[in-house]
């Protein structure tokens, strides 16, 4: 039997949507780990790791460096996103209320003061100790590039439908239809692009490597992904569709979602 699947959830990389897929495939055996960036106390962290048991799905905003506390036979997965778009989306999430209230907090200032962690994707996938505080240097990037090649699955937010089909192949998932969650607009002002790029040079290189590595596989799945995308749009808009393949995905989603809810309900009885 294969080991549990550990999803390294980098913030603002489509993780909430992917988690909804994982929870439909592993409805009664997933464990959420504490956010490593929020200063959780050791007792809370130890409690989470103590509940791993027979978990088949483990996830959280935790770096790959946590793996020494995870099952030895675990499989690891991650999603990557264009670094400029990812960090600007993270910025909007952090400062959305202030921005809505007319308060201005410049992106450059947030980056300079460390309120936005630079090169977060590289840091979380490097597998090195103290990933959030160590220098953003060649050692960090080199470690992340090596680890990227060893992941059981890595996908791209910009090609999400194809990535879900690839996850199905590589992780043995049964259900992959989805409805997007926590979608946030990422239209960033042109004047912020230079600052975002300057503070994420390692992430830009990591992402470029991932794109080159995955493109052949994602291109192979493109035609099938079109039907999956139509199904997602049909489920999101609750509109009828004449596409039979899309209808099949919609039916799959509905039946498996009902089954997942039933199994979760039985678990807590």
């Amino acid at each position: 039997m294969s080991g549990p699947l550990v999803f390294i959830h980098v913030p603002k990389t489509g993780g909430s949507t992917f988690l909804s897929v994982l929870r439909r495939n592993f409805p009664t055996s997933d464990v959420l780990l504490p956010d490593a960036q929020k200063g959780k106390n050791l007792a809370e962290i130890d409690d989470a790791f103590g509940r791993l048991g027979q978990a088949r799905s483990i996830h959280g905003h935790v770096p790959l460096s946590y793996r020494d506390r995870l099952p030895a036979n675990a499989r690891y997965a991650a999603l990557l996103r264009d670094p400029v778009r990812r960090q600007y989306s993270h910025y909007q999430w952090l400062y959305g209320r202030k921005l809505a209230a007319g308060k201005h907090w410049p992106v450059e200032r947030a980056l300079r003061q460390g309120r936005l962690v630079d090169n977060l994707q590289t840091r979380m996938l490097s597998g090195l100790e103290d990933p959030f505080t160590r220098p953003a240097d060649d050692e960090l990037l080199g470690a992340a590039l090596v680890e990227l090649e060893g992941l059981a699955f890595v996908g791209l937010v910009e090609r999400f439908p194809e990535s879900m089909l690839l996850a199905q192949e590589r992780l043995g998932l049964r259900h992959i239809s989805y409805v997007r969650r926590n979608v946030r607009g990422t239209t960033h002002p042109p004047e912020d692009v230079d600052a975002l790029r300057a503070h994420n040079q390692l992430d830009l290189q990591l992402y470029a490597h991932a794109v080159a590595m995955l493109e052949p596989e994602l291109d192979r799945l493109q035609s099938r992904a079109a039907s999956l995308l139509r199904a997602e749009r049909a489920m999101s808009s609750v509109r009828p569709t004449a596409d039979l393949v899309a209808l099949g995905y919609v039916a799959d989603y509905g039946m498996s979602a009902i089954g997942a809810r039933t199994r979760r309900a039985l678990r807590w009885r």
Side-chain angles (χ1 to χ4, degrees):
M1 179 177 179
S2 59
L5 175 63
V6 179
F7 175 44
I8 305 298
H9 185 177
V10 181
K12 302 305 166 187
T13 59
S16 295
T17 303
F18 187 44
L19 282 178
S20 72
V21 172
L22 293 182
R23 283 171 171 163
R24 289 170 53 225
N25 285 271
F26 310 108
T28 62
S29 58
D30 67 287
V31 172
L32 172 65
L33 299 178
D35 190 334
Q37 291 191 81
K38 292 188 176 179
K40 301 291 185 180
N41 62 59
L42 291 177
E44 185 174 354
I45 294 175
D46 288 339
D47 177 67
F49 280 103
R51 289 185 285 106
L52 293 183
Q54 299 300 310
R56 296 179 60 200
S57 176
I58 304 166
H59 51 87
H61 294 305
V62 295
L64 191 57
S65 56
Y66 270 42
R67 63 185 165 194
D68 61 343
R69 304 184 65 182
L70 294 166
N73 63 341
R75 301 170 296 156
Y76 292 88
L79 287 166
L80 296 181
R81 185 179 184 183
D82 173 88
V84 172
R85 293 183 177 181
R86 191 216 68 79
Q87 190 160 69
Y88 193 75
S89 179
H90 204 173
Y91 163 78
Q92 288 181 308
W93 179 78
L94 288 171
Y95 296 100
R97 291 184 179 179
K98 292 183 178 180
L99 296 172
K103 299 178 181 179
H104 182 58
W105 191 288
V107 170
E108 173 63 35
R109 180 181 175 187
L111 289 165
R112 189 174 62 252
Q113 294 185 353
R115 294 174 181 266
L116 284 172
V117 178
D118 66 85
N119 300 291
L120 185 60
Q121 296 176 99
T122 303
R123 292 181 182 280
M124 291 188 68
L125 295 179
S126 71
L128 301 178
E129 294 183 6
D130 303 318
F132 301 123
T133 57
R134 65 185 302 124
D137 54 19
D138 289 343
E139 180 184 9
L140 189 70
L141 176 61
L145 289 172
V146 171
E147 298 292 354
L148 189 69
E149 298 281 354
L151 295 180
F153 163 73
V154 58
L156 302 177
V157 172
E158 286 73 19
R159 301 192 66 176
F160 200 84
E162 294 96 328
S163 294
M164 291 303 95
L165 288 164
L166 187 61
Q168 184 178 50
E169 291 184 357
R170 296 192 175 179
L171 302 177
L173 303 181
R174 181 178 179 184
H175 307 294
I176 58 167
S177 50
Y178 62 90
V179 175
R180 289 188 183 272
R181 302 188 177 200
N182 294 345
V183 177
R184 182 181 296 273
T186 56
T187 302
H188 40 73
E191 61 270 20
D192 290 332
V193 173
D194 289 343
L196 291 166
R197 291 184 63 85
H199 284 81
N200 290 280
Q201 285 298 306
L202 302 188
D203 269 11
L204 287 167
Q205 295 178 66
L206 181 75
Y207 182 77
H209 181 86
V211 169
M213 179 179 75
L214 294 171
E215 265 188 340
E217 294 292 333
L218 299 179
D219 288 345
R220 174 177 60 84
L221 297 166
Q222 191 167 7
S223 60
R224 289 173 57 201
S227 294
L228 181 57
L229 182 59
R230 285 194 292 271
E232 185 268 326
R233 289 172 177 167
M235 290 185 289
S236 297
S237 61
V238 198
R239 294 176 181 173
T241 175
D243 186 281
L244 294 179
V245 177
L247 281 173
Y249 277 117
V250 173
D252 161 70
Y253 178 84
M255 294 301 294
S256 61
I258 292 171
R261 284 195 294 271
T262 301
R263 288 188 291 272
R264 281 185 179 276
L266 292 174
R267 177 176 62 170
W268 294 110
R269 284 186 178 182

